[in-house]
Amino acid sequence: MELFQAKDHYILQQGERALWCSRRDGGLQLRPATDLLLAWNPICLGLVEGVIGKIQLHSDLPWWLILIRQKALVGKLPEDHEVCKITKIAVLSLSEMEPQDLELELCKKHHFGINKPEKIVPSPDDSKFLLKTFTHIKTNVSAPNKKKVKESKEKEKLERRLLEELLKMFMDSESFYYSLTYDLTNSVQRQSTGEKDPRPLWQKVDDRFFWNKYMIQDLTEIGTPEVDFWIIPIIQGFVQIEELVVNYNESSDDEKSSPETPPQESTCVDDIHPRFLVALISRRSRHRAGMRYKRRGVDKNGNVANYVETEQLIHVHNHTLSFIQTRGSVPVFWSQVGYRYNPRPRLDKSEKDTVAYFCAHFEEQLKIYKKQVIINLVDQAGREKIIGDAYLKQVLLYNSSQLTYVSFDFHEHCRGMKFENVQTLTDAIYDIILDMKWCWVDQAGVICKQEGIFRVNCMDCLDRTNVVQAAIARVVMEQQLKKLGVMPPEQPLPVKCNRIYQIMWANNGDSISRQYAGTAALKGDFTRTGERKLAGVMKDGVNSANRYYLNRFKDAYRQAVIDLMQGIPVTEDLYSIFTKEKEHEALHKETQRSHQELISQLLQSYMKLLLPDDEKFHGGWALIDCDPSLIDATHRDVDVLLLLSNSAYYVAYYDDEVDKVNQYQRLSLEDLEKIEIGPEPTLFGKPKFSCMRLHYRFKETSGYFHTLRAVVRSPEEDGKGRAVNLMKTSLASDLKTKALWHRERIF
């Protein structure tokens, strides 16, 4: 559709339809296309794909109109329903009177042979409005009222920050999707229930997942059929659609392409072998939406943080089979408060005060999904225990036959990267999976329905949750394909099918992680900054607590934008954050100046404490234990001191809660079998860091190791940093021929 800029309006036009948006008060009007002749000097700015809605980023700031500037086709669902991902947006100020360069694709009708849209020539009457432009604001900087100048600058800074976060949300995370013909907010089962609904698409959506509902409210309130064309329901989440071929003759030697982008040939075109379409659709709730440390647990309406419904859809020969699962924060009042790295979780309300809201959450869940099988993956010991215990107590108090509670300590069962142990869980609940069934529809109607859902959670509902949901969904998919005759009864999924399937779930987990943990999240929920606090400072000069603190400021802006998108008042004083940021940046610089001295003192202290008198100290490093079993953000990045002497090395574990070493291991160099260097082991996606694995014998038994990496400023510096090089040089010098260095990927 075409976007026009006139003196008082922005005008969207397609065919005989036009939508006028006032540049004075943001009001929206439906008008015939012929009314364009009545607009003052309309200039075509280019083409857009649709309307997302309006937003006011602060009460002190003007309204903005958000349009879909560019889309990407994700794929087609059964019956040729196209699903698109929003890749770029255009944001139009409804008070800025100067022409805006939006970098839109130019329409051929109005810009034949022209590379850039024309500039609007203001009429003499525009002079009154031009006085309000930024030029006028800058002119007034020299005025005597310094207070007003300061307020004006702060207002501009706040607007810029919030606008940056809005653009990042839509353009960096690539997590907003829509379809003009298919209801992405509703599962196949919900869409198949009852008579065919004649209402327009936007009136049939699931309110929980209609992410731009508030922003498009001015249009939905118009109440005439003509408005239906302009309303596009948008979801935040993830969609991937692939066509897979069941071919057991394919060689695994072809599996050499990047896991990020499966090769085109992975979608086989051989008519001999059965083929099927698989789609993964995740819908993130707009209720209690927000950032990880800003939104935890349940609210007073029974909504929980990071609530996502994920649907796995299989389509074979006019048969569509759907299986849904949900994830969501533990539905009690809890939080992780403070600006230190990795704050301890705490309960914010008593057991008695939580009951009503816990009940409200599950009453809605049972109303929608009937039975619920809770799979709680939080640790049954350590800092997570308080949350897991509170959850179990509430389930027992609720005492419903519709609720089944399963506890699975993921870290305990899968320690040492033994993720195949998740099968212990799927085997234990196998009968429950089969009894739950799935939705199955064909051209004649509904064949069977899914009876209940799995509600999976860990602390963040990110990586552990994604692993378990993928494992459950795989069991279901294999059963579905065998029922349809696509897979032989006793055969597993073919290698290529399995690979693409794993990539889809990895991408799903990564996308949800970015949405909840921020754009800096690493693949597979390795969403840490890479720097942890070690006695207040880090070896490479970056204090992770400081870095984390600054990221928390950014979370405040992102949370504000999310709340405003949903029509929720922003309670945090965003202007005060500017002052806090400046104060902390100054503190950060001061800390950096003394970091080397403090680290040196720390290493010297523990060198004297741990090393016997007859051992010579060769060097020490502040490192991170990247044991791949420590998966979630609340467990990741364990601080260690590595001390090297002439006859042994020491790995001392540092507890930043009490600011001391709480345990250590001494390992003779005679027991060191080999050293490996390679990419950090990750469950999903591409490794972000290099690390070192020290293999050693314990009581004459091989198979033990430490996996360590240096603290780096950024992933790009990893492997090149001074810490890694010094560590390798010193160890190699002392171990000589006993150390075997491997450059290839060995994990």
Side-chain angles (χ1 to χ4, degrees):
M1 61 185 67
E2 297 161 325
L3 172 65
F4 292 89
Q5 178 176 295
K7 173 189 169 184
D8 297 323
H9 293 87
Y10 286 110
I11 303 167
L12 290 160
Q13 185 165 308
Q14 183 164 335
E16 298 179 356
R17 303 179 180 93
L19 177 66
W20 289 46
C21 182
S22 171
R23 298 176 64 185
R24 297 171 187 260
D25 60 14
L28 298 174
Q29 288 181 301
L30 299 178
R31 297 175 66 166
T34 52
D35 279 7
L36 185 65
L37 299 172
L38 305 177
W40 180 274
N41 191 25
I43 298 296
C44 180
L45 299 179
L47 300 174
V48 295
E49 300 293 340
V51 181
I52 295 173
K54 294 190 312 179
I55 190 171
Q56 187 179 25
L57 296 173
H58 196 276
S59 57
D60 295 341
L61 302 173
W63 283 88
W64 292 81
L65 179 66
I66 309 174
L67 305 173
I68 302 171
R69 176 178 146 204
Q70 198 173 93
K71 67 179 181 182
L73 179 66
V74 175
K76 291 184 180 181
L77 292 172
E79 299 182 8
D80 278 342
H81 294 292
E82 290 188 350
V83 179
C84 296
K85 174 169 61 179
I86 297 172
T87 55
K88 291 183 181 179
I89 62 170
V91 183
L92 304 174
S93 171
L94 298 180
S95 69
E96 174 58 64
M97 302 310 296
E98 292 182 349
Q100 302 176 45
D101 186 5
L102 303 173
E103 299 182 358
L104 301 180
E105 180 185 345
L106 303 181
C107 84
K108 295 177 181 178
K109 182 165 67 174
H110 298 100
H111 296 282
F112 182 75
I114 301 175
N115 294 323
K116 288 283 182 182
E118 300 173 46
K119 298 287 185 180
I120 293 179
V121 180
S123 69
D125 293 335
D126 283 339
S127 57
K128 295 178 182 178
F129 304 106
L130 290 173
L131 293 175
K132 296 179 181 179
T133 61
F134 286 119
T135 306
H136 179 69
I137 292 171
K138 290 176 182 177
T139 304
N140 277 304
V141 169
S142 58
N145 194 337
K146 293 183 179 179
K147 184 179 179 181
K148 286 188 176 180
V149 172
K150 183 180 179 182
E151 288 176 355
S152 177
K153 285 184 176 180
E154 286 189 346
K155 193 183 293 186
E156 285 182 39
K157 185 178 179 182
L158 178 61
E159 184 175 36
R160 186 170 61 252
R161 285 286 182 87
L162 293 173
L163 198 56
E164 283 174 2
E165 287 303 322
L166 178 67
L167 292 169
K168 285 178 182 177
M169 272 193 68
F170 278 93
M171 296 164 68
D172 286 359
S173 65
E174 294 190 348
S175 59
F176 290 92
Y177 299 81
Y178 70 94
S179 173
L180 299 177
T181 58
Y182 186 84
D183 184 2
L184 288 175
T185 69
N186 273 306
S187 65
V188 170
Q189 182 159 314
R190 291 198 293 271
Q191 293 186 54
S192 304
T193 304
E195 298 281 332
K196 189 170 182 179
D197 194 336
R199 292 179 300 166
L201 183 64
W202 69 271
Q203 291 183 8
K204 297 184 286 187
V205 297
D206 189 321
D207 183 75
R208 297 173 297 166
F209 309 120
F210 187 178
W211 254 76
N212 58 329
K213 179 182 178 180
Y214 177 77
M215 291 188 287
I216 208 80
Q217 189 174 340
D218 285 3
L219 283 178
T220 60
E221 290 177 349
I222 290 176
T224 62
E226 291 77 19
V227 80
D228 298 341
F229 173 82
W230 300 100
I231 300 174
I232 303 175
I234 291 167
I235 67 164
Q236 185 185 39
F238 174 77
V239 182
Q240 187 168 346
I241 304 167
E242 298 287 343
E243 187 178 49
L244 305 184
V245 177
V246 181
N247 182 0
Y248 290 97
N249 298 321
E250 292 173 321
S251 171
S252 59
D253 293 339
D254 296 333
E255 308 289 318
K256 293 181 180 178
S257 61
S258 166
E260 300 294 319
T261 53
Q264 291 299 316
E265 60 266 30
S266 64
T267 302
C268 244
V269 293
D270 192 342
D271 293 332
I272 299 173
H273 303 289
R275 50 203 302 183
F276 64 96
L277 180 141
V278 58
L280 208 54
I281 304 173
S282 282
R283 313 167 176 102
R284 191 159 183 245
S285 175
R286 65 186 185 88
H287 302 303
R288 196 154 177 73
M291 306 307 293
R292 177 169 51 188
Y293 290 105
K294 295 289 184 180
R295 292 290 182 268
R296 292 289 208 192
V298 72
D299 67 13
K300 292 185 178 181
N301 296 314
N303 301 309
V304 295
N306 201 24
Y307 183 89
V308 182
E309 178 188 83
T310 299
E311 179 178 23
Q312 181 174 279
L313 187 149
I314 307 291
H315 182 73
V316 186
H317 304 310
N318 297 321
H319 289 263
T320 301
L321 299 89
S322 158
F323 183 76
I324 58 175
Q325 303 177 75
T326 61
R327 69 177 76 190
S329 191
V330 174
V332 298
F333 290 94
W334 67 281
S335 59
Q336 286 177 276
V337 179
Y339 285 101
R340 58 170 290 128
Y341 188 91
N342 191 15
R344 281 187 177 275
R346 72 177 193 189
L347 295 175
D348 299 326
K349 283 186 183 289
S350 68
E351 182 181 296
K352 182 180 177 181
D353 291 339
T354 301
V355 170
Y357 308 105
F358 182 92
C359 291
H361 173 71
F362 275 105
E363 281 169 8
E364 185 195 30
Q365 295 300 297
L366 293 175
K367 182 180 177 182
I368 297 170
Y369 302 109
K370 311 307 178 191
K371 297 177 183 177
Q372 293 261 308
V373 179
I374 297 167
I375 299 183
N376 183 17
L377 305 174
V378 303
D379 290 355
Q380 296 171 28
R383 63 170 61 204
E384 293 186 1
K385 187 176 187 298
I386 187 175
I387 305 301
D389 289 349
Y391 198 178
L392 178 57
K393 287 177 184 177
Q394 291 295 328
V395 170
L396 295 173
L397 289 170
Y398 192 65
N399 193 25
S400 170
S401 61
Q402 300 295 94
L403 233 58
T404 301
Y405 182 87
V406 179
S407 182
F408 182 79
D409 191 328
F410 187 97
H411 288 139
E412 182 63 30
H413 285 87
C414 302
R415 189 164 296 281
M417 210 178 180
K418 295 179 180 177
F419 299 113
E420 65 273 12
N421 289 352
V422 170
Q423 189 174 343
T424 307
L425 173 62
T426 54
D427 288 347
I429 62 173
Y430 186 75
D431 290 340
I432 299 176
I433 296 174
L434 295 186
D435 290 343
M436 191 174 288
K437 303 177 185 174
W438 51 79
C439 177
W440 184 351
V441 299
D442 64 7
Q443 291 176 319
V446 179
I447 297 172
C448 72
K449 292 183 178 181
Q450 182 175 337
E451 298 175 359
I453 59 158
F454 289 100
R455 185 200 190 277
V456 188
N457 74 273
C458 48
M459 291 295 280
D460 294 332
C461 301
L462 295 176
D463 194 74
R464 283 178 284 183
T465 296
N466 205 62
V467 173
V468 170
Q469 285 194 337
I472 294 171
R474 175 173 173 157
V475 172
V476 172
M477 184 175 73
E478 289 184 347
Q479 288 297 318
Q480 291 171 335
L481 294 175
K482 288 171 184 177
K483 283 272 187 184
L484 292 167
V486 176
M487 270 178 63
E490 303 303 323
Q491 287 276 15
L493 205 62
V495 174
K496 279 196 174 181
C497 287
N498 183 54
R499 177 174 173 268
I500 297 171
Y501 178 78
Q502 287 178 322
I503 290 168
M504 291 177 71
W505 273 97
N507 292 340
N508 177 68
D510 186 46
S511 185
I512 294 171
S513 177
R514 283 198 302 268
Q515 293 157 27
Y516 189 46
T519 55
L522 303 180
K523 288 286 184 187
D525 187 34
F526 290 160
T527 55
R528 272 65 50 198
T529 61
E531 296 92 4
R532 277 282 313 250
K533 194 180 81 170
L534 181 56
V537 289
M538 291 311 298
K539 178 156 179 62
D540 72 339
V542 178
N543 183 315
S544 75
N546 287 341
R547 174 70 63 84
Y548 180 71
Y549 188 34
L550 294 172
N551 285 343
R552 292 291 293 275
F553 286 130
K554 294 177 183 177
D555 279 358
Y557 298 122
R558 176 65 62 90
Q559 186 64 56
V561 170
I562 292 171
D563 287 344
L564 291 165
M565 287 173 69
Q566 305 307 327
I568 301 170
V570 176
T571 55
E572 190 164 2
D573 182 4
L574 298 177
Y575 284 118
S576 68
I577 296 177
F578 297 147
T579 306
K580 291 179 183 178
E581 280 182 302
K582 288 178 182 177
E583 290 173 356
H584 194 77
E585 283 169 1
L587 179 64
H588 180 54
K589 289 177 182 177
E590 184 179 339
T591 304
Q592 280 185 297
R593 284 194 291 269
S594 58
H595 80 281
Q596 288 288 5
E597 182 182 345
L598 291 173
I599 280 290
S600 176
Q601 290 174 1
L602 185 70
L603 292 169
Q604 290 293 327
S605 298
Y606 281 103
M607 178 267 292
K608 293 175 183 176
L609 208 67
L610 300 178
L611 269 65
D613 293 336
D614 59 347
E615 288 188 25
K616 183 180 178 183
F617 179 63
H618 278 226
W621 300 269
L623 302 173
I624 286 171
D625 184 342
C626 49
D627 179 345
S629 68
L630 305 177
I631 296 173
D632 270 9
T634 50
H635 287 76
R636 189 76 170 154
D637 295 354
V638 176
D639 296 325
V640 296
L641 298 175
L642 177 64
L643 306 178
L644 179 66
S645 76
N646 60 325
S647 58
Y649 74 90
Y650 296 75
V651 178
Y653 290 85
Y654 185 86
D655 186 349
D656 62 354
E657 294 289 335
V658 293
D659 204 30
K660 67 179 183 181
V661 168
N662 58 10
Q663 60 176 310
Y664 75 94
Q665 283 180 279
R666 180 188 183 276
L667 295 151
S668 169
L669 295 183
E670 296 297 324
D671 291 326
L672 185 65
E673 295 183 317
K674 64 178 177 179
I675 301 174
E676 294 177 321
I677 301 293
E680 179 183 22
T682 61
L683 178 57
F684 290 132
K686 189 176 180 181
K688 296 292 182 180
F689 298 97
S690 292
C691 64
M692 174 177 70
R693 182 169 284 178
L694 307 174
H695 292 260
Y696 64 92
R697 292 187 303 273
F698 180 70
K699 295 182 178 179
E700 302 302 320
T701 303
S702 299
Y704 294 90
F705 58 82
H706 290 110
T707 306
L708 308 171
R709 70 170 170 82
V711 182
V712 293
R713 290 185 174 85
S714 66
E716 289 74 17
E717 295 180 29
D718 190 42
K720 304 174 186 176
R722 183 170 172 267
V724 173
N725 291 331
L726 280 172
M727 183 168 59
K728 287 160 59 178
T729 302
S730 297
L731 284 170
S733 173
D734 282 284
L735 303 178
K736 297 180 181 177
T737 58
K738 291 174 65 176
L740 303 177
W741 299 90
H742 299 278
R743 290 288 176 180
E744 68 273 19
R745 181 169 185 170
I746 40 75
F747 301 117

